[in-house]
Amino acid sequence: MEPDKFRESRQEINRMCKNVHALIDQKDLEQSKAGYEKVHEHFKILKPQAEGEIQKRSVKNLGIKLKNLSTLIRKLKPKSSGTRKSGKAGIVWDDTRLAQLDTVFLEKMLQNMGTDENATVCLGTTGKGIRPNYQIHFNDRTVTAYSGASHKPNLKPGAAKTKNISPPFARTILENALSQNSQKEN
């Protein structure tokens, strides 16, 4: 192949590789794959036209670059349909959903609220919603995060500052959910 045309084709493939690499850095699996396919098509056209040692070595180097891109693309994970990564709440807590929690779980949450009649509780929106972590916001403006599994204060740093929580529920809503559960059991 004429050296100038070969150089132009090689430079175009290199530009396309940089674009695909940028898409990989953005973790965009679909666009990366589409870009890779275009680059690979150009490469398949250029490869048989290489003449001489320099052009063949250049094609070999491009092949290595494409193989590297292919490996990086395989390591990308598809965008999940889950809502946690998109920043939206996973579980939407309302009175009905709250009443579906186990009676013992609701009793222990109320017990952790103590005698503070104005305390509210916010539940975690991640997981399956069976034993959610929760936060109790007390009337004196203190917040205590609790483990949903043990109902003990969660001492992890930042546990009380998570974004994955429901709006607050008043004590009366918890008491209503508990009485609904008790009626179902009887």
Side-chain angles (χ1 to χ4, degrees), residues 158-174:
K161 292 185 171 109
T162 181
K163 295 177 186 173
N164 299 322
I165 60 168
S166 71
F169 291 96
R171 174 187 284 277
T172 54
I173 294 172
L174 283 175

PDB file of all heavy atoms in Angstrom, residues 158-174:
ATOM      1  N   GLY A 158     -20.359   7.490  59.599  1.00  0.00           N
ATOM      2  CA  GLY A 158     -21.209   7.911  58.489  1.00  0.00           C
ATOM      3  C   GLY A 158     -22.513   7.147  58.397  1.00  0.00           C
ATOM      4  O   GLY A 158     -23.316   7.405  57.516  1.00  0.00           O
ATOM      5  N   ALA A 159     -22.775   6.208  59.300  1.00  0.00           N
ATOM      6  CA  ALA A 159     -24.003   5.416  59.234  1.00  0.00           C
ATOM      7  C   ALA A 159     -25.245   6.297  59.356  1.00  0.00           C
ATOM      8  O   ALA A 159     -26.266   6.014  58.775  1.00  0.00           O
ATOM      9  CB  ALA A 159     -24.007   4.339  60.309  1.00  0.00           C
ATOM     10  N   ALA A 160     -25.132   7.374  60.117  1.00  0.00           N
ATOM     11  CA  ALA A 160     -26.278   8.255  60.308  1.00  0.00           C
ATOM     12  C   ALA A 160     -26.381   9.308  59.215  1.00  0.00           C
ATOM     13  O   ALA A 160     -27.276  10.136  59.237  1.00  0.00           O
ATOM     14  CB  ALA A 160     -26.187   8.929  61.673  1.00  0.00           C
ATOM     15  N   LYS A 161     -25.486   9.286  58.241  1.00  0.00           N
ATOM     16  CA  LYS A 161     -25.499  10.310  57.205  1.00  0.00           C
ATOM     17  C   LYS A 161     -25.721   9.721  55.807  1.00  0.00           C
ATOM     18  O   LYS A 161     -25.358  10.306  54.826  1.00  0.00           O
ATOM     19  CB  LYS A 161     -24.189  11.080  57.230  1.00  0.00           C
ATOM     20  CG  LYS A 161     -24.018  11.912  58.468  1.00  0.00           C
ATOM     21  CD  LYS A 161     -22.770  12.750  58.415  1.00  0.00           C
ATOM     22  CE  LYS A 161     -22.748  13.727  59.548  1.00  0.00           C
ATOM     23  NZ  LYS A 161     -21.818  13.476  60.570  1.00  0.00           N
ATOM     24  N   THR A 162     -26.307   8.539  55.737  1.00  0.00           N
ATOM     25  CA  THR A 162     -26.511   7.899  54.447  1.00  0.00           C
ATOM     26  C   THR A 162     -27.616   8.586  53.654  1.00  0.00           C
ATOM     27  O   THR A 162     -28.520   9.189  54.226  1.00  0.00           O
ATOM     28  CB  THR A 162     -26.818   6.397  54.615  1.00  0.00           C
ATOM     29  OG1 THR A 162     -26.985   5.816  53.339  1.00  0.00           O
ATOM     30  CG2 THR A 162     -28.073   6.174  55.431  1.00  0.00           C
ATOM     31  N   LYS A 163     -27.544   8.477  52.340  1.00  0.00           N
ATOM     32  CA  LYS A 163     -28.562   9.066  51.471  1.00  0.00           C
ATOM     33  C   LYS A 163     -29.661   8.067  51.160  1.00  0.00           C
ATOM     34  O   LYS A 163     -30.711   8.428  50.668  1.00  0.00           O
ATOM     35  CB  LYS A 163     -27.920   9.526  50.159  1.00  0.00           C
ATOM     36  CG  LYS A 163     -26.930  10.634  50.323  1.00  0.00           C
ATOM     37  CD  LYS A 163     -26.293  10.969  48.998  1.00  0.00           C
ATOM     38  CE  LYS A 163     -25.181  11.988  49.196  1.00  0.00           C
ATOM     39  NZ  LYS A 163     -24.427  12.230  47.978  1.00  0.00           N
ATOM     40  N   ASN A 164     -29.405   6.798  51.423  1.00  0.00           N
ATOM     41  CA  ASN A 164     -30.343   5.740  51.057  1.00  0.00           C
ATOM     42  C   ASN A 164     -31.351   5.468  52.165  1.00  0.00           C
ATOM     43  O   ASN A 164     -31.440   4.363  52.683  1.00  0.00           O
ATOM     44  CB  ASN A 164     -29.569   4.457  50.720  1.00  0.00           C
ATOM     45  CG  ASN A 164     -28.638   4.655  49.557  1.00  0.00           C
ATOM     46  OD1 ASN A 164     -28.957   5.351  48.609  1.00  0.00           O
ATOM     47  ND2 ASN A 164     -27.466   4.050  49.628  1.00  0.00           N
ATOM     48  N   ILE A 165     -32.115   6.490  52.529  1.00  0.00           N
ATOM     49  CA  ILE A 165     -33.106   6.316  53.578  1.00  0.00           C
ATOM     50  C   ILE A 165     -34.446   6.877  53.132  1.00  0.00           C
ATOM     51  O   ILE A 165     -34.521   7.728  52.242  1.00  0.00           O
ATOM     52  CB  ILE A 165     -32.676   6.960  54.914  1.00  0.00           C
ATOM     53  CG1 ILE A 165     -32.451   8.457  54.743  1.00  0.00           C
ATOM     54  CG2 ILE A 165     -31.467   6.284  55.495  1.00  0.00           C
ATOM     55  CD1 ILE A 165     -32.316   9.193  56.067  1.00  0.00           C
ATOM     56  N   SER A 166     -35.480   6.389  53.789  1.00  0.00           N
ATOM     57  CA  SER A 166     -36.845   6.823  53.489  1.00  0.00           C
ATOM     58  C   SER A 166     -37.128   8.160  54.158  1.00  0.00           C
ATOM     59  O   SER A 166     -36.371   8.615  55.019  1.00  0.00           O
ATOM     60  CB  SER A 166     -37.817   5.786  54.036  1.00  0.00           C
ATOM     61  OG  SER A 166     -37.831   5.832  55.458  1.00  0.00           O
ATOM     62  N   PRO A 167     -38.250   8.760  53.793  1.00  0.00           N
ATOM     63  CA  PRO A 167     -38.700   9.925  54.574  1.00  0.00           C
ATOM     64  C   PRO A 167     -39.036   9.447  55.997  1.00  0.00           C
ATOM     65  O   PRO A 167     -39.265   8.250  56.221  1.00  0.00           O
ATOM     66  CB  PRO A 167     -39.973  10.366  53.845  1.00  0.00           C
ATOM     67  CG  PRO A 167     -39.893   9.745  52.497  1.00  0.00           C
ATOM     68  CD  PRO A 167     -39.090   8.500  52.645  1.00  0.00           C
ATOM     69  N   PRO A 168     -39.115  10.356  56.960  1.00  0.00           N
ATOM     70  CA  PRO A 168     -39.358   9.942  58.345  1.00  0.00           C
ATOM     71  C   PRO A 168     -40.797   9.468  58.586  1.00  0.00           C
ATOM     72  O   PRO A 168     -41.739   9.975  57.979  1.00  0.00           O
ATOM     73  CB  PRO A 168     -39.058  11.205  59.149  1.00  0.00           C
ATOM     74  CG  PRO A 168     -39.175  12.330  58.190  1.00  0.00           C
ATOM     75  CD  PRO A 168     -38.869  11.787  56.840  1.00  0.00           C
ATOM     76  N   PHE A 169     -40.921   8.494  59.477  1.00  0.00           N
ATOM     77  CA  PHE A 169     -42.221   8.007  59.919  1.00  0.00           C
ATOM     78  C   PHE A 169     -42.367   8.327  61.401  1.00  0.00           C
ATOM     79  O   PHE A 169     -41.458   8.080  62.196  1.00  0.00           O
ATOM     80  CB  PHE A 169     -42.337   6.484  59.729  1.00  0.00           C
ATOM     81  CG  PHE A 169     -42.400   6.072  58.286  1.00  0.00           C
ATOM     82  CD1 PHE A 169     -41.260   5.667  57.620  1.00  0.00           C
ATOM     83  CD2 PHE A 169     -43.605   6.087  57.592  1.00  0.00           C
ATOM     84  CE1 PHE A 169     -41.310   5.281  56.298  1.00  0.00           C
ATOM     85  CE2 PHE A 169     -43.665   5.712  56.263  1.00  0.00           C
ATOM     86  CZ  PHE A 169     -42.514   5.304  55.612  1.00  0.00           C
ATOM     87  N   ALA A 170     -43.522   8.869  61.769  1.00  0.00           N
ATOM     88  CA  ALA A 170     -43.788   9.215  63.169  1.00  0.00           C
ATOM     89  C   ALA A 170     -44.083   7.952  63.968  1.00  0.00           C
ATOM     90  O   ALA A 170     -44.423   6.903  63.417  1.00  0.00           O
ATOM     91  CB  ALA A 170     -44.980  10.170  63.246  1.00  0.00           C
ATOM     92  N   ARG A 171     -43.961   8.075  65.278  1.00  0.00           N
ATOM     93  CA  ARG A 171     -44.237   6.956  66.186  1.00  0.00           C
ATOM     94  C   ARG A 171     -45.643   6.405  65.961  1.00  0.00           C
ATOM     95  O   ARG A 171     -45.851   5.193  65.974  1.00  0.00           O
ATOM     96  CB  ARG A 171     -44.079   7.428  67.630  1.00  0.00           C
ATOM     97  CG  ARG A 171     -44.470   6.387  68.662  1.00  0.00           C
ATOM     98  CD  ARG A 171     -44.448   6.962  70.068  1.00  0.00           C
ATOM     99  NE  ARG A 171     -43.102   7.094  70.572  1.00  0.00           N
ATOM    100  CZ  ARG A 171     -42.409   6.115  71.139  1.00  0.00           C
ATOM    101  NH1 ARG A 171     -42.941   4.924  71.260  1.00  0.00           N
ATOM    102  NH2 ARG A 171     -41.207   6.318  71.592  1.00  0.00           N
ATOM    103  N   THR A 172     -46.621   7.269  65.726  1.00  0.00           N
ATOM    104  CA  THR A 172     -48.009   6.817  65.559  1.00  0.00           C
ATOM    105  C   THR A 172     -48.152   5.905  64.336  1.00  0.00           C
ATOM    106  O   THR A 172     -48.926   4.950  64.370  1.00  0.00           O
ATOM    107  CB  THR A 172     -48.966   8.022  65.416  1.00  0.00           C
ATOM    108  OG1 THR A 172     -48.505   8.861  64.353  1.00  0.00           O
ATOM    109  CG2 THR A 172     -49.061   8.816  66.692  1.00  0.00           C
ATOM    110  N   ILE A 173     -47.397   6.169  63.282  1.00  0.00           N
ATOM    111  CA  ILE A 173     -47.461   5.326  62.081  1.00  0.00           C
ATOM    112  C   ILE A 173     -46.894   3.945  62.396  1.00  0.00           C
ATOM    113  O   ILE A 173     -47.451   2.929  61.981  1.00  0.00           O
ATOM    114  CB  ILE A 173     -46.719   5.998  60.905  1.00  0.00           C
ATOM    115  CG1 ILE A 173     -47.442   7.275  60.502  1.00  0.00           C
ATOM    116  CG2 ILE A 173     -46.602   5.049  59.723  1.00  0.00           C
ATOM    117  CD1 ILE A 173     -46.719   8.121  59.481  1.00  0.00           C
ATOM    118  N   LEU A 174     -45.798   3.903  63.162  1.00  0.00           N
ATOM    119  CA  LEU A 174     -45.236   2.613  63.580  1.00  0.00           C
ATOM    120  C   LEU A 174     -46.222   1.848  64.463  1.00  0.00           C
ATOM    121  O   LEU A 174     -46.396   0.636  64.309  1.00  0.00           O
ATOM    122  CB  LEU A 174     -43.929   2.805  64.345  1.00  0.00           C
ATOM    123  CG  LEU A 174     -42.679   3.130  63.536  1.00  0.00           C
ATOM    124  CD1 LEU A 174     -41.516   3.414  64.462  1.00  0.00           C
ATOM    125  CD2 LEU A 174     -42.328   2.000  62.606  1.00  0.00           C
TER     126      LEU A 174
END
